[in-house]
Structure formats: C-alpha cells, structure tokens
Amino acid sequence: MKTKELYSGKAKTIYRTDNPEQMIADFRDSLTAFDGKKKSEASKKGYYNAQISRKLFEMLEAEGIRTHYIDMVSDTEMLVDALEIILIEVIPRNIAAGSITRTYPIKEGTRFEKPVIVLDYKSDEHGDPMLNEDIAVTMGIATYEEIAHIREMALKINALLTDYLYSKDLILVDFKLEFGRKDGEIVLADEISCDTCRLWDKTTGKSLDKDVFRFGGGDVTSTYEEVARRLVPEIF
Ligand code: UDP
C-alpha cells in the first residue's frame, strides 16, 4: 500500500509503501525534454510507458537479468524493489543519434560496429555531464568493479532488447539505463520505455519515441500507442 510520496521526477512519482523494501513508481502523463525546458502532457503516456516497461522487465528477468520490477499494482503503478540508486545514466548506443552527433563529428544514422556505452553523471544540477570510470570512482559514485559489472549488464541488456524489439519491427537506436544496489547485487532500475529509448520503425525509419515530442514530429499519444500495440498487444 502507498504511504508517503518520496519524490516526484519529470515523468514518475515514487511512493514509499508499508514495506520498507518496496516502493511504488507511478508513471505520469507529463513529458519534458531539453533538461526540462520543454514541458507538456500527453494522455495515456504514463499508461503505455508503464506497460511497455513491465513487458521489457519481464522479458529481461526471464533471460536472467535482475530488475527492480515486482508487480503492477494498477495500470500505471509499478511495485519495485527499494534500491540504493547509482548516479550514473548508462547509455548503450547502436546507431548514432542525439547528443553523440552534436558533441562529436559522428553523423546521425552511423551504425556502430560494436555498441558504444556512454556513462553520464545523473545530476540535473550539473547538466548530466559525461563520466569516465576515474571520475565516477573519485566522486564515490561506484567502484571500478561495479562499473565493469554495469557495463557488462548493459551490453547483455542491449543485445536482448535489440533482438526482442527487432522481432516487433523496431530498431533500438539507443536507450538509457539506471542501476541500483540491493543486498550487494547490482539491479536494473528505473524504466525502459518510449521516454528512455530511441526506436525507429524497421520499415519506414520513423521515430517511435520521445523524439516526436522533442522535435515536434508527431503526436505523442498515438506514437506511444503504436509501440504499445506491438509490445503489449494484450492491453488492447
Ligand atoms: N535519455 C534519457 N534520459 C536522459 C538522457 C537521455 O532517457 O536524461 C535517453 C534518450 O531518450 C535517448 C538516449 O538516452 O534514447 C540517448 O540520449 P542522448 O544522450 O542522445 O540525449 P538527447 O539527444 O536526448 O539530448
């Protein structure tokens, strides 16, 4: 049962429950981009993202990846393990898009021979700057061993998700992961949804993710619904 609100992020609100080991993440309809400078709402966005995340966490768990997902308690509310969050945004990239094409002379659409893992410091205050192992360890965010393990998990998750999404006619361009610690183990946290992945339609190459909001290329609700129809057909 939900007790106290712990904090409200850009797209989810986290609540304590009567069990200190568990929390509830409520996926909201609010949307932000460009460090919160662009804001909006899209009806059913929270619902579609919650259901897509649930399905992808279930798939990963079945493949041996430990995630924080426990159960759904409503259409938009996910019961999760309470973790000690590691302040690193882990971004596996298969095809160049977004910030990597703005920061480096890499053309959008370039397919990487092997996935490129980017680590960013999860800090709105500092604008999520890119990290390397030494900086993360110096700041006490994680140990070298943890970072090596996180990279390994991210590569495995990327391979599993790439194949799974391709079977649904979606190309996984890049996505963001967060991890936490639980009982000495590294656990996949947060969400995997249209807000946190770049997905291109296999046939048309059209963006089916938050880029339609970032760059005004389409309607958010119908775009996220299209992805939900492919990944969670059982909710329709
Ligand atoms: N991403 C995210 N949250 C962030 C930053 C990035 O979910 O705070 C996701 C984003 O949706 C994309 C990937 O991580 O799928 C890479 O994002 P990028 O670094 O290219 O940043 P952007 O182009 O979105 O500014």
Side-chain angles (χ1 to χ4, degrees):
M1 218 208 4
K2 271 197 309 209
T3 53
K4 193 171 159 279
E5 181 179 318
L6 200 56
Y7 67 87
S8 198
K10 293 182 193 120
K12 294 193 295 301
T13 302
I14 309 296
Y15 298 90
R16 287 188 202 281
T17 67
D18 34 26
N19 179 347
E21 299 293 315
Q22 299 180 346
M23 301 194 303
I24 287 175
D26 186 18
F27 288 66
R28 305 195 318 268
D29 287 341
S30 47
L31 269 161
T32 69
F34 308 118
D35 297 326
K37 285 184 208 93
K38 184 169 178 175
K39 281 190 195 159
S40 191
E41 295 257 324
S43 75
K44 289 192 152 182
K45 188 214 78 145
Y47 174 50
Y48 294 139
N49 272 353
Q51 297 298 324
I52 291 165
S53 272
R54 165 188 64 82
K55 179 53 78 73
L56 296 177
F57 281 142
E58 284 172 349
M59 184 279 287
L60 291 171
E61 284 275 352
E63 297 289 345
I65 303 287
R66 171 124 190 237
T67 80
H68 70 160
Y69 173 73
I70 300 170
D71 201 1
M72 295 304 293
V73 291
S74 76
D75 282 351
T76 62
E77 292 171 311
M78 185 178 277
L79 186 66
V80 298
D81 286 316
L83 305 176
E84 188 193 336
I85 287 290
I86 296 169
L87 294 178
I88 301 179
E89 297 192 344
V90 182
I91 302 174
R93 297 178 177 275
N94 299 304
I95 298 175
S99 65
I100 201 165
T101 65
R102 296 192 295 269
T103 313
Y104 301 97
I106 302 174
K107 272 211 178 72
E108 185 180 79
T110 306
R111 263 168 205 281
F112 297 122
E113 247 171 70
K114 61 183 189 64
V116 172
I117 304 282
V118 173
L119 306 178
D120 287 348
Y121 176 37
K122 184 178 158 61
S123 165
D124 286 340
E125 189 194 339
H126 294 92
D128 297 348
M130 198 182 284
L131 279 177
N132 66 22
E133 277 83 347
D134 285 350
I135 297 173
V137 171
T138 291
M139 287 200 297
I141 292 174
T143 65
Y144 286 108
E145 292 73 21
E146 284 176 329
I147 295 169
H149 186 58
I150 284 170
R151 287 184 64 97
E152 213 176 282
M153 279 180 83
L155 286 170
K156 188 168 174 201
I157 292 164
N158 181 48
L160 290 166
L161 283 178
T162 296
D163 286 356
Y164 185 79
L165 293 168
Y166 196 74
S167 76
K168 314 286 178 191
D169 294 335
L170 294 167
I171 294 178
L172 180 59
V173 174
D174 59 33
F175 62 111
K176 189 256 304 182
L177 296 172
E178 293 181 28
F179 294 87
R181 303 181 186 91
K182 176 106 191 154
D183 308 326
E185 239 192 286
I186 303 282
V187 178
L188 178 62
D190 198 44
E191 65 181 275
I192 310 174
S193 71
C194 292
D195 276 3
T196 63
C197 297
R198 276 200 175 89
L199 301 169
W200 292 351
D201 181 79
K202 187 164 89 182
T203 317
T204 64
K206 220 176 91 181
S207 287
L208 295 174
D209 56 57
K210 202 162 94 172
D211 274 351
V212 300
F213 171 64
R214 291 190 186 95
F215 306 113
D219 174 63
V220 172
T221 301
S222 56
T223 300
Y224 286 35
E225 179 186 330
E226 169 67 35
V227 175
R229 282 189 183 277
R230 296 189 201 187
L231 299 185
V232 282
E234 65 273 19
I235 69 170
F236 291 93

